[in-house]
Amino acid sequence: MDRAGALTRAVAAFAADHLRADEVCVGLSGGPDSLALTAAAVHAGLSVRALVVDHRLQHGSADVATAAARAARALGARAEVLEVSVGHDGGMEAAARDARYTALELARDGLPVLLAHTMDDQAETVLLGLARGSGSRSIAGMRPWSPPWGRPLLGLRRADTVGACADWGLAPHTDPHNSDPRFTRVRLRAEVIPLLEDVLHGGVVEALARTASALQGDNDALDDLAEQAYRAAGSGEDSTELGVGGLADLPDAVRTRVFRRWLYDVGATGPTSRVIGAVDALAVGRTRGHVAIGGTPQYRRVVCRVGDRLTITDLPR
């Protein structure tokens, strides 16, 4: 099987569908997925700038980052190493991801960034969304194109990137974190998905990826309806108020999307499903009082209902 050719064709097709120029950044860790993506992007005729994020979480990480940058240059790409400091919020996986995306955003200079997520990563994302009960938006997984982030390899398996590296004679880095059972994704990859494949007689990764793709289309349709309702319910430039008189008869899936959009617009601190549900109950008259959506050490920011409008109020602590 020509796996190198399959990756190159996937990147070329992605570029034809989504990119307006041939210059891109690639997020490169040095592992097989991102190294194969870098090679494929170069072979697809793109001008590639590899961004190597050194999380500085392991001994020798600087050497790994330097080697990855060297490999990218040997392929014909430009490369630079971005050192980051990883915090602690949400655990090491989440903190490292946040630091990585922040570094890539700051370094991309307006260019799109290609990321090496595969169908296997998509399946893991869908399973995590299911386990957390976080709704269709989470189960829909990662989109191939969510500007500036592009994921050309979502239709290919992890085995394809490993095979492509072998085809090109590349020597990817093996990250010990990818086999560390402390991390949820590692256990999904090593234990849960193989068990599901065995019990359900194969095809689980592909089925989970199809589920994500189908839900993305459903979400787009519901988001469009919610956007229309949000504009109709707004109050001009004053986003701290939202009319609710015409929202009660909307389907729940549309109405809660309206409130989610509004909460983000007014600066709510990461509105969860619970908070959105509480605002929904307040809007349709199932509850009274107020709903806390963030604030500072000096005050709490809350949503109240006044007549047929929701409004934002700051209450002293």
Side-chain angles (χ1 to χ4, degrees):
M1 179 183 294
D2 180 15
R3 287 174 167 167
L7 260 72
T8 301
R9 289 189 294 274
V11 173
F14 176 89
D17 288 343
H18 301 295
L19 304 182
R20 287 180 284 184
D22 64 358
E23 188 176 5
V24 298
C25 295
V26 172
L28 174 62
S29 69
D33 296 345
S34 61
L35 189 57
L37 174 60
T38 302
V42 171
H43 282 83
L46 299 178
S47 174
V48 177
R49 182 167 154 238
L51 302 177
V52 186
V53 178
D54 177 9
H55 298 86
R56 299 189 291 182
L57 292 174
Q58 302 175 48
H59 178 71
S61 66
D63 293 335
V64 172
T66 299
R70 186 184 308 119
R73 293 186 187 108
L75 287 166
R78 291 168 292 149
E80 62 184 284
V81 175
L82 312 173
E83 291 188 350
V84 300
S85 296
V86 177
H88 304 284
D89 291 348
M92 188 166 71
E93 282 181 285
R97 182 177 60 251
D98 290 346
R100 179 167 61 253
Y101 274 92
T102 298
L104 293 173
E105 175 63 44
L106 291 173
R108 68 184 183 88
D109 292 334
L111 295 175
V113 181
L114 304 187
L115 304 173
H117 296 116
T118 65
M119 187 185 297
D120 299 79
D121 296 304
Q122 184 76 298
E124 293 160 15
T125 300
V126 173
L127 284 176
L128 286 170
L130 283 168
R132 292 167 179 162
S134 44
S136 62
R137 192 177 300 276
S138 179
I139 300 168
M142 299 174 286
R143 292 178 177 269
W145 179 234
S146 182
W149 315 110
R151 299 177 175 87
L153 306 185
L154 286 181
L156 297 169
R157 298 294 303 272
R158 190 169 289 130
D160 295 318
T161 65
V162 173
C165 284
D167 290 348
W168 277 312
L170 303 174
H173 171 66
T174 300
D175 186 347
H177 279 170
N178 288 337
S179 58
D180 189 335
R182 290 179 301 165
F183 301 116
T184 303
R185 277 188 179 268
V186 170
R187 297 197 65 187
L188 282 175
R189 187 177 307 151
E191 301 173 37
V192 176
I193 290 179
L195 178 60
L196 287 173
E197 292 277 2
D198 180 45
V199 172
L200 299 175
H201 308 294
V204 168
V205 169
E206 292 83 357
L208 290 169
R210 287 196 303 272
T211 297
S213 181
L215 280 171
Q216 286 169 12
D218 292 349
N219 282 335
D220 287 344
L222 290 168
D223 287 344
D224 287 344
L225 292 173
E227 181 66 21
Q228 295 171 30
Y230 179 66
R231 292 178 180 177
S235 54
E237 297 181 357
D238 186 5
S239 64
T240 61
E241 292 191 351
L242 183 73
V244 297
L247 299 180
D249 294 333
L250 291 175
D252 291 352
V254 176
R255 193 174 61 245
T256 53
R257 279 170 164 78
V258 172
F259 297 134
R260 180 180 186 275
R261 163 69 188 275
W262 179 60
L263 289 170
Y264 271 108
D265 279 357
V266 299
T269 307
T272 62
S273 296
R274 183 188 63 79
V275 169
I276 294 168
V279 171
D280 181 48
L282 187 66
V284 300
R286 292 196 301 269
T287 60
R288 297 183 179 181
H290 59 256
V291 178
I293 61 168
T296 70
Q298 290 74 39
Y299 66 85
R300 289 185 303 146
R301 173 157 283 193
V302 301
V303 177
C304 303
R305 178 165 178 168
V306 179
D308 65 349
R309 307 191 73 77
L310 295 180
T311 186
I312 304 297
T313 301
D314 293 334
L315 300 178
R317 291 191 184 274

